[in-house]
Amino acid sequence: MSVAGSLLLLPGDGIGPEVMRQVRRVIEWLGKRRGIEFKVEEGLVGGCSIDAHGVPLTDETMARALAVDAVLLAAVGGPKWDALGFDKRPEAGLLRLRKEMELFANLRPATVFDALVDASTLKPEVVRGLDIMIVRELTGGVYFGEPRGISTLPNGERRGINTQIYDTHEIHRVARIAFELARKRGNTVCSVEKGNVMESGLLWRQEVIALHKAEYADVTLTHMLADACSMQLVRNPKQFDVIVTDNLFGDMLSDEAAMLTGSIGMLPSASLGAADAQGKRKALYEPVHGSAPDIAGRDIANPIAMMLSFAMALRWSFDLQTEAELLEQAVENVLKTGMRTGDIMQPGMAKCSTSVMADTILREMDKLVAA
Ligand code: NAD
């Protein structure tokens, strides 16, 4: 038995614990069937932490998140905590994790499984075979820039201010991740900004070009304005391989790309920090979806986004490519058999629960390793 590393599981709220339970089963499977063990801890984040400790993330859980090789988070939030102020809400726990782990790059794959090509609102020929990776800058830009706030002017009007700021090193470190990723995929990066109307966008473009010239000239680099990119994503999304963009545009474009795939219950994500001397990065893996309070506690949520987030962790934090592919392949094979949770249900398919979907995926993994 080899110990692959340490994991902190943060199931959170709503459907979080239900989908995280299925990842625990994959972890057990890896131990039993592949001799790969993880040191697994579990903690509270979001509403459940507010209920237990009065804060969305305790200092102790934060310290544990900083100490492990990877954090796996399901989802936070729900109507119970909606009335709380910004800094006391469940989401504040997630923001604190991102900030203190210095997770500056958010990786969002938008992949269309062949079996789900009809789930997209776009025509099958537009999305079949789609495989995009959006790299969004996560700790800078207009969501964090100062000055910010709402003030009252002498004439009694109110003014809201946010500031878009990027420094060279912030642009370089996220672009570097995009270039490295592209080298393992289609070798093409499209850098997206609004350099035609924003100085910060112009700087973004200039710095991406400088880094490309200095270190990544072998990768094909293109540039696109953010408004044009949002159009191209629905017109001809398969033209993209890796997209790198700032925090604000990345927020929108990654949601748009997510919708191309048809279901939010299918989409994983990874957030990465800087590499240490050993090349290890702080990393947080989470599904794109939220806590889905409307379906929580009924064993009907789709566990696939959470399971694929774990596949990303296997690949990026533990260098377990074979096991990541095994899990991804099992998901694809199960979808081909017609097994569906409610969110991706189509006529003629077999509707199943969260736990039955995971049972079937695990059985498929058994079959794949036996083959
Ligand atoms: P949501 O993603 O939770 O749900 C949107 C819709 O998609 C709902 O109809 C839901 O039932 C469905 N859905 C989501 N995940 C699903 C899954 N795995 N399987 C099947 N159906 C699924 O977004 P929302 O409704 O806007 O937000 C609900 C709560 O989640 C709010 O409190 C919000 O703040 C929070 N939220 C948290 C995160 C996060 O933790 N990262 C992200 C988004 C929203």
Side-chain angles (χ1 to χ4, degrees):
M1 191 73 96
S2 66
V3 178
S6 53
L7 267 172
L8 174 63
L9 307 185
L10 300 173
D13 308 315
I15 60 169
E18 298 163 52
V19 293
M20 188 65 88
R21 203 168 300 136
Q22 315 313 323
V23 166
R24 270 210 175 261
R25 298 174 65 197
V26 179
I27 294 171
E28 279 159 27
W29 186 95
L30 288 171
K32 274 198 211 118
R33 303 299 309 264
R34 306 285 287 179
I36 298 168
E37 232 192 325
F38 293 89
K39 190 173 162 291
V40 182
E41 304 168 41
E42 197 162 311
L44 299 179
V45 67
C48 57
S49 177
I50 295 173
D51 289 350
H53 304 295
V55 286
L57 187 75
T58 62
D59 292 346
E60 193 247 327
T61 308
M62 187 64 243
R64 284 159 71 200
L66 288 169
V68 292
D69 294 317
V71 179
L72 217 59
L73 183 143
V76 297
K80 184 176 174 193
W81 306 281
D82 272 353
L84 298 172
F86 269 135
D87 54 337
K88 305 213 166 43
R89 286 169 65 100
E91 290 79 357
L94 183 51
L95 292 179
R96 182 173 176 200
L97 280 168
R98 285 180 184 162
K99 189 162 178 234
E100 295 195 23
M101 291 171 78
E102 293 182 67
L103 304 171
F104 60 82
N106 182 224
L107 277 51
R108 285 245 215 139
T111 318
V112 171
F113 289 94
D114 261 1
L116 292 184
V117 78
D118 293 321
S120 174
T121 49
L122 267 65
K123 293 187 193 117
E125 61 269 27
V126 176
V127 293
R128 182 171 286 114
L130 184 76
D131 181 10
I132 307 178
M133 179 71 86
I134 298 197
V135 181
R136 164 188 170 195
E137 201 289 326
L138 202 59
T139 49
V142 74
Y143 292 168
F144 295 95
E146 300 278 350
R148 61 182 298 160
I150 298 177
S151 57
T152 303
L153 302 174
N155 67 2
E157 275 203 66
R158 298 205 307 148
R159 174 176 289 169
I161 299 180
N162 292 91
T163 307
Q164 168 88 332
I165 302 183
Y166 274 108
D167 294 349
T168 306
H169 77 276
E170 293 176 288
I171 302 168
H172 281 203
R173 65 186 182 177
V174 72
R176 192 165 270 125
I177 288 196
F179 285 128
E180 303 277 346
L181 269 167
R183 278 182 176 158
K184 296 187 183 135
R185 300 168 40 99
N187 212 34
T188 305
V189 170
C190 179
S191 170
V192 173
E193 27 61 24
K194 284 283 288 177
N196 55 338
V197 285
M198 296 169 74
E199 284 75 9
S200 55
L202 185 60
L203 181 84
W204 180 284
R205 184 180 287 223
Q206 290 169 349
E207 291 300 336
V208 170
I209 290 173
L211 179 71
H212 175 252
K213 195 168 164 220
E215 296 179 37
Y216 298 100
D218 56 302
V219 179
T220 304
L221 172 65
T222 61
H223 305 272
M224 203 177 276
L225 297 176
D227 47 343
C229 182
S230 73
M231 273 198 298
Q232 290 298 330
L233 270 174
V234 285
R235 187 178 158 269
N236 176 19
K238 281 189 268 184
Q239 70 185 282
F240 298 109
D241 175 21
V242 176
I243 292 175
V244 63
T245 189
D246 74 12
N247 202 343
L248 174 65
F249 297 136
D251 195 359
M252 289 175 219
L253 295 174
S254 59
D255 266 18
E256 187 186 357
M259 274 301 104
L260 300 176
T261 69
S263 172
I264 199 161
M266 297 291 302
L267 296 167
S269 80
S271 300
L272 305 178
D276 64 16
Q278 286 75 45
K280 265 254 173 255
R281 292 180 185 279
K282 294 253 174 300
L284 172 81
Y285 300 89
E286 54 181 322
V288 166
H289 62 73
S291 58
D294 54 330
I295 58 165
R298 291 159 56 194
D299 194 34
I300 58 171
N302 187 345
I304 293 178
M306 186 76 242
M307 295 171 93
L308 292 178
S309 299
F310 182 55
M312 286 186 92
L314 294 174
R315 178 171 285 120
W316 291 98
S317 288
F318 302 104
D319 205 19
L320 291 167
Q321 313 296 336
T322 310
E323 284 67 27
E325 275 161 32
L326 194 62
L327 179 50
E328 289 162 350
Q329 189 64 53
V331 167
E332 184 160 4
N333 291 0
V334 167
L335 291 173
K336 274 190 200 142
T337 67
M339 191 74 100
R340 299 281 187 274
T341 44
D343 57 313
I344 50 173
M345 185 59 192
Q346 292 161 305
M349 304 288 160
K351 194 162 171 179
C352 71
S353 64
T354 310
S355 39
V356 168
M357 177 58 92
D359 290 342
T360 320
I361 291 169
L362 288 168
R363 268 204 305 279
E364 186 61 28
M365 289 172 74
D366 276 334
K367 270 194 229 157
L368 286 169
V369 291

